[in-house]
Amino acid sequence: MSCFFLTCFIVLLMFFGVQCVTIVGLVGETVTLSCMYKTKIHYTTSICWGRGKVPWIKCSETLLSTDDEGRVTYRESERYQLQGRVREGDVSLSIQNVQENDSGIYGCRVELPGWFNDLKINIYLTVLKAPEPPTSVFTTEAFDGNLAITEDYEEPVVNHVHSKESTLFWPQNIVRMAVVIIMTVATPVFIYGLTSLLKKKFHEGTA
């Protein structure tokens, strides 16, 4: 029975131990992906940032990493910076001069003490083109034989873009909860059936 509870605990950590947010930025801007932890509780510890969702260990396609003192030990490009107070737990990643091909998933892992205790944050970054400036159109009009030039402005349609926007992915959480419930019900049934089968084979072998 203890194995059953341990299995459920690991499954719960796997599905619910990851925070998910989304951020929208404009081409050419500096975009900051937020990742923080409490150093008063865990002290300064090592972290890493990578492209793609946070895996079981470390980071996938590592972009930047630090040691236990908060010193940067690896940086793929100077575009990736830690501009917050790292020793106070602000390990947010700033990406300078973002381009459309920077869009995608970024993962932050903070290596905290204990089993399955790491802080894992997946961030969905979307980079959009900046809106074009207004264009002017010159038209001519005649007044009493004189030529007059008037200037009309075409106002472009601009979508309001927020530099940061946090969203909880509730549909994903509902699916994950359903999976956990199914596993919670199915696991003891499977263990009971397997135990009964092994006992039956054992008795047949000794008979």
Side-chain angles (χ1 to χ4, degrees):
M1 187 60 70
S2 60
C3 293
F4 163 68
F5 285 112
L6 178 61
T7 302
C8 292
F9 177 69
I10 294 174
V11 171
L12 286 170
L13 287 174
M14 179 177 66
F15 281 97
F16 295 101
V18 181
Q19 300 178 27
C20 299
V21 297
T22 182
I23 291 179
V24 180
L26 297 177
V27 169
E29 289 185 340
T30 295
V31 176
T32 299
L33 311 181
S34 180
C35 184
M36 300 182 183
Y37 68 101
K38 297 180 179 179
T39 54
K40 291 183 179 180
I41 299 176
H42 303 290
Y43 304 100
T44 304
T45 185
S46 57
I47 67 102
C48 65
W49 277 96
R51 288 295 296 263
K53 293 184 178 180
V54 180
W56 278 100
I57 57 173
K58 301 299 181 181
C59 291
S60 58
E61 299 182 33
T62 302
L63 303 175
L64 183 147
S65 61
T66 70
D67 60 14
D68 291 338
E69 298 297 325
R71 294 184 293 260
V72 175
T73 56
Y74 175 79
R75 190 196 315 271
E76 184 181 88
S77 169
E78 290 299 320
R79 296 173 58 224
Y80 304 116
Q81 299 287 334
L82 298 180
Q83 297 181 340
R85 299 187 177 185
V86 177
R87 290 183 176 273
E88 295 180 11
D90 185 357
V91 291
S92 301
L93 179 69
S94 294
I95 307 176
Q96 300 173 348
N97 189 28
V98 293
Q99 302 299 316
E100 288 184 280
N101 58 7
D102 288 318
S103 297
I105 303 174
Y106 292 78
C108 171
R109 175 187 290 274
V110 179
E111 298 183 353
L112 302 177
W115 286 13
F116 309 107
N117 201 30
D118 289 355
L119 172 63
K120 300 181 285 293
I121 299 177
N122 291 325
I123 297 178
Y124 294 75
L125 172 63
T126 300
V127 181
L128 305 177
K129 288 183 179 180
E132 297 181 359
T135 57
S136 59
V137 178
F138 294 94
T139 60
T140 59
E141 297 180 5
F143 296 96
D144 297 330
N146 296 321
L147 191 65
I149 299 178
T150 60
E151 188 175 12
D152 299 327
Y153 288 94
E154 293 182 353
E155 293 293 338
V157 178
V158 180
N159 293 324
H160 295 283
V161 179
H162 302 281
S163 59
K164 285 187 178 182
E165 176 184 340
S166 298
T167 304
L168 288 175
F169 293 88
W170 290 110
Q172 295 182 8
N173 286 339
I174 293 174
V175 173
R176 291 170 180 170
M177 188 178 297
V179 172
V180 171
I181 293 173
I182 292 172
M183 292 190 66
T184 303
V185 174
T187 301
V189 175
F190 173 77
I191 293 175
Y192 176 78
L194 181 61
T195 304
S196 299
L197 180 62
L198 292 175
K199 288 181 178 180
K200 182 178 180 181
K201 292 292 185 181
F202 176 76
H203 289 307
E204 289 178 354
T206 55

